[in-house]
Amino acid sequence: MHVPSLKEAKIRNKKEVLTKTYENIKESKLEKLGLNKTYYIKTYGCQMNEHDSENIKAILEEMSFKETDTMENADFIILNTCAIRENAHNKVFGYLGRIKHLKQEKEDLIVAFCGCMAQEESIVKELTQKYKWVDIIFGTHNLHELPTILYHALQSKKQEVEVYSIEGDIVENIPVKRANKYKAWVNIMYGCDKFCTYCIVPYTRGKQRSRKPEYIIEEVKALKKQGYLEVTLLGQNVNAYGKDLNSNYKMENLLEDVAKTGIERIRFVTSHPWDFTDKMIEVIKKYPNIMPYIHLPLQSGSDRILKLMGRRYTKEEYLKLYQKLKEALPYSSITTDIIVGFPGETRKDFEETLEVVNKCQFDSAFTFIFSPRVGTPASKMEDNISLEEKNNRLQELNKLVNKYAKERNDWYLNKTVPVLIEGFSSKDETKLMGYTDTMKLVNVDGDKKYIGQIVDVLITDIKTWSMDGKIKTD
Ligand code: SAH
Ligand code: SF4
Ligand code: F3S
């Protein structure tokens, strides 16, 4: 049994990170563990977690489990959780309540709890004390050990807790069952060393560890060969890629090498403004297969709050970078993340955030109310703003964000843009859907033979969060 410790998770050791290779499951006792059994996985959180679930699925299928799309039919339920805000916590525990009922009806049901919440000391304590019926708990650092953890749980018939606070080595070649046939997520790094004062991620995901470039390039080349058209390079702070490798190989080098593979579309998330270099901008400009889309979290427009957040840039520096990006890449779309109601945020601080939004006129923004996370410095800061006031600020901000999102979209009316057609629209089965190079969702009229192709689409109507269009076939 290994339980997580917040104190240990905070430590950044100098130990060299090694690269290991995932061994396919060769032991027959594990290979057949899931024979005639189904699994259902529910994923919360960011793209990193979605991608982890793609790994978990493939690992389970190597153990003969088959996927089912309803929780009620499953023999094995996995909750891959997120710890970023309190509401994620509430959702997961609500869901656990539903599973408990199923577990009472179905004795053989196996339940696993993993992901970022499993890395939290207080959560594991709660699970070991009040949710003894949850069979296995494992963390973000050892999902590749799932087969043996599961085997032991079934043998011992006791709750198996295997969560490490210290990250360990990088494991390559973990199998993956990708959700999309044309777009793929590719991790380029794990963890985060930024320690923004409000954020739990550096504790739940460990120290920054970049994958070796050769593994990343090989993965992209293999994806291209399999017919994938788009890759999204994933990391909490991709611009810091390579800083932990003992070489001069940085994000701009990786972007360039990935571009040279010739894969049609390359995206990358998330960019921390602090590490965005001029060289990166040059590379993005130089290669047409690097998409003109940048997610550049602002968090706050007030220097005072930015300092308290530990973001390491000022409002002026953010605006300067924004300007530089827009000058170099005028066609690009830029989106952001903003937190309102950080401890001590005054009306004046908030207005400075609005001012930056007015200046940048973002294509879109994810906006959040500050949520105190146990163990982070911001959770101990004095917070005297009422929830009502925070809600009002959020609404005021959202109104402004939506106005600019619509205006940015309006520019597209009657223009022709490239769209990767992914499939049928979930809201209207008679339409196709896809994303532009600038990451705008388009519902498209056209023949289904275009699914899996990047085609020219004439934009015919604009909404705040999407557009309509039709395929140009001339
Ligand atoms: N690595 C990314 C962020 C990942 S979390 C980055 O640095 O940009 C996604 C977003 O969640 C953050 O950008 C932030 O806006 C929000 N967030 C993180 N912790 C939060 C908290 N404690 N309360 C509210 N929002 C939070
Ligand atoms: Fe969290 Fe900051 Fe790291 Fe992003 S950069 S994951 S907000 S600590
Ligand atoms: Fe959530 Fe963990 Fe991602 S906390 S946002 S799932 S890195």
Side-chain angles (χ1 to χ4, degrees):
M1 173 153 155
H2 289 94
V3 295
S5 139
L6 204 75
K7 229 166 135 190
E8 275 181 42
K10 230 185 255 179
I11 297 169
R12 289 298 180 261
N13 63 44
K14 292 250 166 17
K15 202 176 138 256
E16 190 192 349
V17 176
L18 301 174
T19 301
K20 292 195 294 208
T21 326
Y22 182 82
E23 294 292 329
N24 283 341
I25 298 161
K26 292 196 188 85
E27 290 173 81
S28 57
K29 65 177 194 214
L30 299 178
E31 226 172 53
K32 300 201 182 94
L33 209 62
L35 216 57
N36 302 322
K37 290 200 174 108
T38 57
Y39 72 90
Y40 175 76
I41 180 158
K42 175 122 179 114
T43 311
Y44 300 84
C46 63
Q47 287 146 325
M48 194 85 61
N49 244 22
E50 292 284 349
H51 187 43
D52 283 351
S53 285
E54 293 185 335
N55 287 134
I56 293 171
K57 286 181 183 189
I59 291 174
L60 291 175
E61 295 193 8
E62 282 193 348
M63 296 165 78
S64 309
F65 281 98
K66 291 222 158 42
E67 187 170 7
T68 171
D69 53 11
T70 50
M71 172 176 90
E72 286 74 16
N73 291 337
D75 301 299
F76 185 14
I77 301 174
I78 305 105
L79 290 184
N80 191 6
T81 62
C82 167
I84 203 84
R85 282 171 292 273
E86 189 64 22
N87 56 0
H89 173 283
N90 298 345
K91 272 192 215 156
V92 169
F93 276 90
Y95 206 78
L96 269 182
R98 283 175 59 195
I99 299 176
K100 190 177 180 189
H101 285 294
L102 283 178
K103 183 98 180 171
Q104 279 158 352
E105 286 162 23
K106 216 163 144 182
E107 228 178 71
D108 290 345
L109 179 66
I110 319 163
V111 181
F113 190 105
C114 63
C116 284
M117 269 171 75
Q119 292 292 142
E120 290 186 282
E121 206 172 307
S122 56
I123 299 288
V124 170
K125 207 164 169 197
E126 197 171 345
L127 291 171
T128 51
Q129 285 171 358
K130 297 193 206 141
Y131 295 82
K132 288 203 168 68
W133 52 268
V134 171
D135 301 280
I136 59 178
I137 301 160
F138 61 97
T140 58
H141 302 316
N142 63 336
L143 66 85
H144 57 282
E145 289 175 355
L146 174 58
T148 40
I149 301 172
L150 179 59
Y151 179 76
H152 286 136
L154 293 174
Q155 291 292 304
S156 72
K157 299 203 164 32
K158 283 203 197 106
Q159 189 175 56
E160 200 74 24
V161 186
E162 286 300 330
V163 183
Y164 304 121
S165 303
I166 310 283
E167 50 287 324
D169 298 323
I170 290 182
V171 185
E172 290 292 347
N173 297 346
I174 301 180
V176 55
K177 183 186 179 190
R178 298 190 187 270
N180 192 297
K181 280 205 311 218
Y182 315 111
K183 302 196 301 189
W185 286 311
V186 175
N187 276 328
I188 62 168
M189 63 206 293
Y190 303 97
C192 179
D193 289 343
K194 284 283 186 278
F195 284 99
C196 302
T197 58
Y198 50 82
C199 184
I200 193 78
V201 173
Y203 308 84
T204 64
R205 293 276 170 174
K207 82 171 176 188
Q208 173 175 323
R209 289 147 293 147
S210 299
R211 276 178 81 193
K212 293 214 169 94
E214 55 269 32
Y215 286 101
I216 301 170
I217 306 297
E218 271 318 301
E219 187 172 345
V220 175
K221 281 186 182 162
L223 286 164
K224 184 173 176 244
K225 233 183 194 161
Q226 289 163 37
Y228 280 86
L229 297 172
E230 182 174 312
V231 290
T232 301
L233 308 179
L234 283 185
Q236 288 303 340
N237 174 17
V238 288
N239 303 15
Y241 172 83
K243 282 189 163 181
D244 53 311
L245 295 171
N246 288 326
S247 73
N248 283 325
Y249 196 91
K250 297 280 153 30
M251 184 57 176
E252 56 261 22
N253 308 101
L254 180 69
L255 267 180
E256 184 149 29
D257 283 344
V258 173
K260 282 183 184 157
T261 64
I263 189 129
E264 297 275 344
R265 286 181 158 196
I266 300 153
R267 302 189 192 278
F268 53 95
V269 279
T270 298
S271 293
H272 189 301
W274 194 44
D275 292 309
F276 220 120
T277 61
D278 289 351
K279 282 194 182 144
M280 266 185 75
I281 302 176
E282 269 169 43
V283 173
I284 300 168
K285 201 176 152 101
K286 182 168 165 198
Y287 290 92
N289 56 345
I290 304 179
M291 293 298 100
Y293 162 69
I294 291 153
H295 186 61
L296 194 68
L298 165 69
Q299 312 301 3
S300 168
S302 149
D303 285 347
R304 199 179 68 82
I305 297 295
L306 283 170
K307 195 152 189 217
L308 285 173
M309 286 176 161
R311 288 293 285 183
R312 311 179 202 203
Y313 53 82
T314 61
K315 167 177 145 190
E316 277 318 308
E317 282 165 340
Y318 184 94
L319 286 170
K320 225 165 114 192
L321 173 62
Y322 183 91
Q323 217 46 49
K324 214 179 337 182
L325 283 166
K326 274 287 172 189
E327 268 160 31
L329 312 156
Y331 170 67
S332 63
S333 70
I334 301 184
T335 58
T336 199
D337 290 347
I338 297 170
I339 298 175
V340 301
F342 188 82
E345 184 192 66
T346 60
R347 178 73 208 172
K348 193 173 154 284
D349 292 319
F350 174 64
E351 278 169 7
E352 290 203 61
T353 300
L354 297 180
E355 189 197 320
V356 178
V357 173
N358 277 319
K359 282 197 171 136
C360 296
Q361 311 187 354
F362 295 106
D363 283 82
S364 145
F366 296 104
T367 56
F368 313 99
I369 289 184
F370 167 75
S371 173
R373 308 283 64 217
V374 175
T376 61
S379 69
K380 297 185 202 101
M381 293 179 191
E382 197 188 327
D383 185 4
N384 49 14
I385 314 145
S386 70
L387 188 60
E388 193 192 354
E389 175 60 25
K390 291 184 185 194
N391 269 314
N392 290 342
R393 286 183 195 171
L394 184 69
Q395 276 181 26
E396 193 177 339
L397 174 64
N398 284 346
K399 235 183 181 169
L400 199 63
V401 162
N402 295 354
K403 176 177 109 117
Y404 289 123
K406 173 74 166 53
E407 279 178 25
R408 289 276 184 201
N409 281 359
D410 283 341
W411 178 86
Y412 286 76
L413 190 64
N414 298 324
K415 298 227 170 31
T416 300
V417 284
V419 175
L420 164 52
I421 306 291
E422 288 178 32
F424 294 101
S425 157
S426 57
K427 286 197 187 124
D428 180 353
E429 288 276 307
T430 65
K431 282 191 188 277
L432 304 171
M433 61 73 66
Y435 287 87
T436 64
D437 47 356
T438 51
M439 200 67 178
K440 306 275 180 185
L441 172 63
V442 191
N443 291 308
V444 183
D445 280 320
D447 197 304
K448 66 171 191 265
K449 71 177 183 204
Y450 293 109
I451 293 175
Q453 291 183 34
I454 297 169
V455 291
D456 281 341
V457 169
L458 175 70
I459 302 298
T460 54
D461 196 16
I462 305 291
K463 319 245 162 69
T464 304
W465 303 119
S466 68
M467 309 175 181
D468 291 337
K470 61 175 188 226
I471 293 176
K472 281 186 121 178
T473 43
D474 50 302

